[in-house]
Amino acid sequence: AQSVTQLGSHVSVSEGALVLLRCNYSSSVPPYLFWYVQYPNQGLQLLLKYTTGATLVKGINGFEAEFKKSETSFHLTKPSAHMSDAAEYFCAVTLDSSYKLIFGSGTRLLVRP
Amino acid sequence: DAGVIQSPRHEVTEMGQEVTLRCKPISGHDYLFWYRQTMMRGLELLIYFNNNVPIDDSGMPEDRFSAKMPNASFSTLKIQPSEPRDSAVYFCASSLPPPGQGAMGPSYGYTFGSGTRLTVV
């Protein structure tokens, strides 16, 4: 079975600091991996995705993530946090065969002035 | 494209009443998904459709829940009778096929609607 683990339900950073949100997955076959962002009272917006090819994936708003098969990880990073990055971030995984998108429990990012 | 459109945005109903949530997917997306989000359980996949046909409804919590997709541009999620524990935000999402299942593979990724916040009192 596949699952997604997000370490840390809350992460707090100062404006301008590095953002690192952790995601580990378990899957018996190569997965497709996603990061979504949810702003208050809104739906989920796709930040970036890994399906095949280059393991370093760049997304919107300056975010990027690297697929590391050996570590079964897909951590999300941004070099410099902005106040507008404050939101909840969800890592998700799916397999081509099942097509179900399984979400992690989410990490709320707080950005301090 | 206006994106995935859900209605209503908010619904407050009394226990025992029937509730119908509506979703219009993005034109051309042949996969449609219904999710429920709660603080306790996070995001749960309830059911998904491919070309208007239900593929997997294993996440539907009880027989009180039903979903239909009468055509490619409309889906409903119905709860009858509703209970307070059904209170949650319900999201609809649509998607093109994933890589390996069609020419649109590189565009793969769910697009979510803004959700319906359901409160059952």
Side-chain angles (χ1 to χ4, degrees):
Chain A
Q2 61 197 83
S3 68
V4 181
T5 302
Q6 291 185 242
L7 296 176
S9 59
H10 292 80
V11 170
S12 180
V13 301
S14 297
E15 191 173 19
L18 171 71
V19 175
L20 171 61
L21 305 182
R22 300 179 186 275
C23 174
N24 289 88
Y25 68 91
S26 65
S27 176
S28 57
V29 299
Y32 299 143
L33 296 157
F34 304 81
W35 276 99
Y36 281 84
V37 60
Q38 184 178 30
Y39 298 100
N41 300 314
Q42 294 188 26
L44 282 78
Q45 180 183 4
L46 180 65
L47 269 180
L48 49 80
K49 64 185 178 187
Y50 169 79
T51 53
T52 58
T55 57
L56 181 62
V57 180
K58 295 185 184 300
I60 62 172
N61 301 339
F63 284 93
E64 62 182 37
E66 186 171 10
F67 169 57
K68 292 188 176 180
K69 184 178 178 181
S70 61
E71 299 177 8
T72 61
S73 69
F74 191 58
H75 302 330
L76 182 71
T77 60
K78 182 174 180 178
S80 177
H82 192 272
M83 297 297 291
S84 61
D85 295 327
E88 187 146 21
Y89 292 80
F90 292 91
C91 183
V93 62
T94 189
L95 299 176
D96 185 24
S97 58
S98 76
Y99 205 72
K100 295 180 184 181
L101 196 61
I102 307 300
F103 285 89
S105 55
T107 298
R108 186 168 298 278
L109 176 66
L110 308 171
V111 182
R112 303 185 304 271
Chain B
D1 198 318
V4 176
I5 300 172
Q6 291 187 247
S7 64
R9 286 298 308 275
H10 302 274
E11 176 80 34
V12 180
T13 191
E14 292 186 347
M15 182 174 63
Q17 296 297 306
E18 176 180 295
V19 176
T20 299
L21 312 181
R22 298 172 175 79
C23 175
K24 176 179 169 55
I26 291 174
S27 178
H29 282 192
D30 48 12
Y31 285 85
L32 183 139
F33 308 82
W34 282 100
Y35 280 84
R36 178 172 68 176
Q37 185 178 35
T38 61
M39 290 290 291
M40 292 297 296
R41 301 175 68 90
L43 280 156
E44 302 173 276
L45 176 63
L46 300 178
I47 185 171
Y48 79 91
F49 296 82
N50 178 212
N51 292 324
N52 313 337
V53 176
I55 302 301
D56 187 342
D57 65 354
S58 61
M60 296 285 263
E62 302 172 32
D63 291 345
R64 298 184 296 106
F65 286 70
S66 62
K68 294 182 179 179
M69 193 165 185
N71 57 61
S73 59
F74 184 65
S75 177
T76 60
L77 178 67
K78 185 176 293 185
I79 308 172
Q80 165 65 18
S82 58
E83 296 183 3
R85 59 193 168 120
D86 301 331
S87 297
V89 181
Y90 291 81
F91 287 104
C92 176
S94 69
S95 176
L96 292 164
Q101 290 194 17
M104 303 302 289
S107 300
Y108 174 50
Y110 291 26
T111 301
F112 282 78
S114 298
T116 295
R117 183 175 297 276
L118 173 65
T119 303
V120 183
V121 298

